Every structure is written in structure tokens, then in C-alpha cells.
Amino acid sequence: TRYEKMIMDVGRMMGPPMDIVALAHVLDNWEWSKDDPVRLATQKRISEHENAARNALEAKDGWKLQRIWQFDASVKPKGKGGASALHHQMAGIKWKATVAKNRYREATNALREAIKDAVEESDHMRTEAFAEVEVPEGEDAIQAPHPSVLMSLTKFGVTGMPPKEHDLHTLVENWPFSSDDPTVQLAAHWLHSRSLLKKSSVSYLDIAINGGHSQTIVKAYSRAAAAAV
């Protein structure tokens, strides 16, 4: 019968994954008793979906909102018969959740692109840093730092941030969503790793310079310059 088919369809729509829009359409076209347990269960699932979306909005959890919010502003009212079940039950949250989900998607895409650019910049700097180093030769190399090494040390600083890394840092600092978001955590972890690399490289370079061995200084400089501005 049509009722039995409807029950099977609703069971499939409830998932996983749940098809919230299709469930709302079931309510829009409901032909049986309003007290039917299937109808009540469907209404309950939509309410649970709404509550989850509200909680995600309040927590600024864009990652969770993106996963649970399945419909957008394109969902239209039912028509002459009045507002659809979806519009009726989601009236207070629909637009806010849709806007927040779109903002999160844009912010996440920008952050991922910034991570990619910062990593590429770091790799390029490392290649240039090694190309700048001129390895001294001969016995004099053991006596004192080679002039080209000292000149390169003046050229490269070990404080501040390269442009792309700075852009990434700015995006992380001004992240408008939850701080436990996996994408922003990835970016923050990369920035923290870069910071540790710089600190350890500077310490290694300082020890090498105090030791006065050019070969060691060259290696230390290469390591520091690759992490420097």
C-alpha cells in the first residue's frame, strides 16, 4: 500500500545519512492522521536537526553546522496551501544558519589557500637560502667565518614572518568560528611548528658562531635562513 511504501521511504530518509529536506516534504504531503507515530517521529527528527543547528550557531561551530545543515535559501514555501513544514519549523533559524554556513565555507576555503601559499613560500625560501650559501674552502675555513657567510647573515633576518606566513597568521588570529575547528587547528599547528623551527635554528646558529668554525656556521646559517624572513 501507499502507507507501507511511505513508511519504508521515511525509514530510508532518516538515514544515516538523514535527508532532512525529504522528511520535510513527507510532512508537506501528509495524508494520514496527525497523530500517526511516523508523522510524530518525522517531526521529532526535524526538531532535533533544528536544535543541533542552533547549538552549532551559538558555539560558532561552522564545521558542525556545515555537516548538519542540509538545505539553503533555495527551499521555497509550499505554495497556496501555506508555508511548508520546513519553513514553519525552521522559521527562526533557517536564514541565520544558511548565511553562517556560507560564511564558514568561504572562510575555510580562504584559510586552506593561505596554508597552501605559506607552505609553498617556506619551501621556496628554503631553496633560496641554500642557494645563497657559499661554502668556504681551504684551511682558512677552520679559522674564522667566511665573509660571504657574514654578509648573508646580514641579509637574512631571523625575526618576523614572511608575507604569506604573516597572512596565514592574521587569518588564524581573526578566525570568526570555533577555535577547535580542524582547519584552523591545522593552520595554528603549522605556524607553531614554524615558530619552534625558527627558535631552534637561531640557537643553533648562535652556538655555531660562538664556536668560530665556518663549516658549522654555514650549516647553521642554512638552517636559520630557511626559516627566516
Side-chain angles (χ1 to χ4, degrees):
T1 65
R2 287 193 302 116
Y3 181 77
E4 292 173 340
K5 181 179 183 303
M6 180 272 299
I7 293 178
M8 294 179 60
D9 289 342
V10 169
R12 175 180 51 80
M13 295 170 190
M14 287 190 175
M18 182 176 66
D19 190 341
I20 189 71
V21 176
L23 287 175
H25 287 165
V26 169
L27 296 184
D28 290 340
N29 298 286
W30 191 259
E31 303 176 18
W32 297 275
S33 169
K34 292 184 177 180
D35 296 327
D36 188 284
V38 176
R39 183 176 184 274
L40 296 177
T42 302
Q43 287 180 321
K44 181 180 178 181
R45 292 302 296 270
I46 292 178
S47 294
E48 291 172 347
H49 183 86
E50 179 188 8
N51 290 334
R54 288 187 185 279
N55 292 337
L57 274 174
E58 291 177 3
K60 295 184 177 180
D61 192 341
W63 185 64
K64 181 177 181 180
L65 186 64
Q66 187 179 50
R67 288 183 293 119
I68 66 174
W69 194 251
Q70 299 178 14
F71 42 85
D72 54 31
S74 64
V75 180
K76 304 297 183 183
K78 185 177 181 180
K80 293 182 180 180
S84 69
L86 195 60
H87 274 254
H88 178 73
Q89 196 152 349
M90 300 288 181
I93 190 178
K94 179 175 178 289
W95 296 104
K96 290 181 180 180
T98 300
V99 171
K101 180 179 176 179
N102 291 339
R103 285 182 58 238
Y104 174 75
R105 181 171 57 249
E106 293 172 358
T108 302
N109 289 340
L111 189 60
R112 287 172 178 166
E113 189 65 26
I115 294 173
K116 176 176 174 290
D117 290 345
V119 171
E120 289 179 351
E121 178 184 62
S122 173
D123 292 341
H124 178 69
M125 287 173 56
R126 184 177 297 108
T127 301
E128 284 195 338
F130 282 111
E132 285 285 336
V133 176
E134 297 180 19
V135 180
E137 299 178 358
E139 294 183 358
D140 290 340
I142 304 177
Q143 305 299 322
H146 193 273
S148 66
V149 176
L150 296 180
M151 289 176 63
S152 295
L153 285 172
T154 303
K155 178 180 177 181
F156 282 84
V158 288
T159 59
M161 295 181 183
K164 298 300 182 182
E165 183 178 342
H166 182 268
D167 291 345
L168 177 60
H169 182 267
T170 300
L171 287 177
V172 171
E173 287 293 305
N174 296 287
W175 182 249
F177 299 96
S178 173
S179 59
D180 63 355
D181 183 270
T183 305
V184 80
Q185 285 188 337
L186 173 63
H189 176 74
W190 187 86
L191 289 169
H192 181 64
S193 298
R194 286 280 294 169
S195 177
L196 292 178
L197 174 62
K198 290 179 183 180
K199 290 179 181 178
S200 63
S201 297
V202 171
S203 298
Y204 180 41
L205 180 58
D206 184 59
I207 294 172
I209 291 176
N210 289 332
H213 192 296
S214 280
Q215 294 284 359
T216 304
I217 293 175
V218 168
K219 294 179 181 179
Y221 161 70
S222 298
R223 177 176 172 179
V229 176

